[in-house]
Amino acid sequence: MSEQTRPLLEMRGVSKSFPGVKALDRVDLQVYPGEVLALVGENGAGKSTLMKILSGVHRMDEGEIYLEGKAVSLPDPLSSQKAGISIIYQELNTLNNLSIAENIFIGREPIAKNGLVDRQRQHREARALLDEVKLPLDTQTLTGKLSTAQKQMVEVAKALSFNAKLIIMDEPTSSLTNAETRTLFDIVRRLKARGVAIVFITHRMVEIFQIADRVAVLRDGQMAATMHARDTTEADIISAMVGREIGDLYVKEVAPLGEVALEVQGLSTKNRLHDVSFYVRSGEILGFAGLVGAGRSEVMRAVFGIDPRQSGTILVRGKKAAIRKTGDALRYGIGFVPEDRKEQALILDMTVKKNMSLAALDRVSRGWFIDRLRESRLAEKFVSLLRVRTPSLEQRVKNLSGGNQQKVVIAKWMANEPLILILDEPTRGIDVGAKKEIHKLMSDLARQGVAIVLVSSELPEVIGMSDRIVVMHEGRVKGSFDRRGVTQEEIMQMAVS
Ligand SMILES: Nc1ncnc2c1ncn2[C@@H]1O[C@H](COP(=O)(O)OP(=O)(O)OP(=O)(O)O)[C@@H](O)[C@H]1O
Ligand SMILES: [Mg+2]
């Protein structure tokens, strides 16, 4: 890529409003052939909206788009695809009851002479694409059976099949393991070498320096800065994003430890978990580290009554707890922020306010009635504490940006004032500033006596926030550390063997 080359894509003065929100305000953007452009910004800054204009999902109110110097209009996804633009959405939209091959070729299945879908050819072509993204799965596997990471890779394979000139990836790495991220980056480099341009959205600063040539920073719907990755620093990027200093990683304050709030003894499930035991005291944050697939989420799901246990005992405040379904867990004062917010945590069609008060009905009800004023106050408090970007409490959650939806999930459980709070990857997809606010809230809750279990694949987060750290490997607890003095390397070593 060089300045002399003509941009592959140019957006000029692009504006877009939604009811009550100016999502984009006269944005200019250039993307050059063969470059990787990192598009960054706080939750709700307008990244996904800008990209959805390119993919034909949203229509801009004002502005112009040029592809290879020619003005284009992209009124719908098909025109955008035809123009050579491919997008992998932040909220994956694979169809779970179709096979991998069907997902890749939906709407453009190869047709055989007899007029029917040429399944052989579809299979063959899908196979080649899966090999390219190193996904060793049968092309006939139902997509619903895949992990999020695997679905992500199917989407990448699909984008490859279009031979796109521009591929947009909206937070592709947020649900990938390190190894999967490396595979994805290999693919990105190969595409780049072929002259494909890539727009890459991420909240992880390190990734920018691993993969991006240039960085474009959106702030409040405006283009705040564009820079070359090689002559910028993380601090520069963050300050362009948030317009203020945010300082270092938040570290949990020391809180007095109380009684053992939750104890799990000998937990096993049918195929995954073997004899998992741990405890957490009130006021304590217990971190769970391990590779993706080590079984951490499975433990939490079993404790919360989502997945059945085969054996094992759960004790809440020293007493045996009969948890068979999530309703039971709630009654014992357990709260749970799951890994997958769409599947288990939010009612997308309901308002911000309702979603936040749902789990806290006790706290906002008087007898049979919901106290509307208290309900609003509670929601207002968390919207401002977590800086949820929404035009009002009445906004439907599906209209919020991805990161802001995640903030609503966290608010929902914090508002519920649980005795025990389980957080599974709570800051995934959350911007750097908001992440710190969430860490501070966790620390405050611990000081108020809540026992917190934190599952996170980000070791600095686990080390910074936990009093003790449990390391899992292949469905078992491998060991534990006191957080003082433990290094990322020590944890990793235990996690891999
Ligand atoms: N369909 C919609 N209806 C109403 N408002 C919307 C809609 N889509 C986006 N918005 C609003 O537009 C703004 C920009 O959202 P966008 O999804 O582009 O943010 P983002 O930068 O991708 O954030 P994140 O990092 O959280 O994914 C937000 O205030 C969001 O609530
Ligand atoms: Mg987004």
Side-chain angles (χ1 to χ4, degrees), residues 106-180:
I106 188 163
R108 51 194 182 108
E109 293 82 358
I111 303 296
K113 284 208 187 82
N114 60 10
L116 298 175
V117 173
D118 186 344
R119 300 221 167 260
Q120 288 246 295
R121 197 172 132 208
Q122 177 165 299
H123 164 76
R124 225 173 27 243
E125 290 178 11
R127 181 71 266 147
L129 290 162
L130 292 191
D131 289 343
E132 191 155 1
V133 299
K134 303 204 169 95
L135 200 59
L137 293 173
D138 188 334
T139 60
Q140 302 310 311
T141 315
L142 286 187
T143 317
K145 296 220 170 102
L146 308 186
S147 70
T148 313
Q150 291 170 327
K151 286 183 193 171
Q152 188 82 255
M153 286 304 179
V154 170
E155 291 286 306
V156 175
K158 184 171 177 176
L160 292 179
S161 74
F162 284 109
N163 279 319
K165 296 189 194 111
L166 173 68
I167 299 183
I168 298 161
M169 302 184 177
D170 196 347
E171 293 188 36
T173 57
S174 62
S175 50
L176 300 188
T177 63
N178 291 340
E180 286 161 339

Side-chain angles (χ1 to χ4, degrees), residues 363-374:
R363 251 157 287 281
V364 296
S365 307
R366 269 202 211 122
W368 292 99
F369 299 99
I370 297 178
D371 181 339
R372 301 281 166 211
L373 190 65
R374 283 181 73 181

Side-chain angles (χ1 to χ4, degrees), residues 132-134 149 152-153 156 169 172-191 200 204 206-207 210-211 291 492 496:
E132 191 155 1
V133 299
K134 303 204 169 95
Q152 188 82 255
M153 286 304 179
V156 175
M169 302 184 177
T173 57
S174 62
S175 50
L176 300 188
T177 63
N178 291 340
E180 286 161 339
T181 299
R182 273 197 298 279
T183 307
L184 180 70
F185 284 1
D186 284 343
I187 297 168
V188 167
R189 288 191 193 99
R190 260 186 281 147
L191 290 168
F200 190 89
R204 297 186 181 157
V206 283
E207 292 178 353
Q210 286 168 356
I211 198 78
L291 302 179
M492 274 320 283
V496 296

Side-chain angles (χ1 to χ4, degrees), residues 1-20:
M1 184 251 336
S2 79
E3 266 72 355
Q4 293 89 324
T5 359
R6 183 175 66 176
L8 167 72
L9 168 85
E10 191 162 7
M11 299 179 92
R12 282 194 211 146
V14 171
S15 296
K16 172 77 188 173
S17 293
F18 295 108

Side-chain angles (χ1 to χ4, degrees), residues 19 32-33 74 125 133 155 162 167 192 196 240 247 285 297 300 323 327 329 349 375 380 386-387 417 429 441 457 478:
Y32 293 88
L74 303 168
E125 290 178 11
V133 299
E155 291 286 306
F162 284 109
I167 299 183
K192 200 176 120 109
V196 176
I285 299 183
S297 297
M300 304 312 149
I323 298 175
D349 263 320
E375 190 185 30
E380 258 160 34
L386 295 176
R387 293 190 292 125
E417 297 175 17
L441 268 174
S457 297
K478 280 292 295 257

Side-chain angles (χ1 to χ4, degrees), residues 47-48 90 170-171 201 401-403:
K47 304 178 297 293
S48 296
Q90 180 172 13
D170 196 347
E171 293 188 36
I201 299 178
S401 78

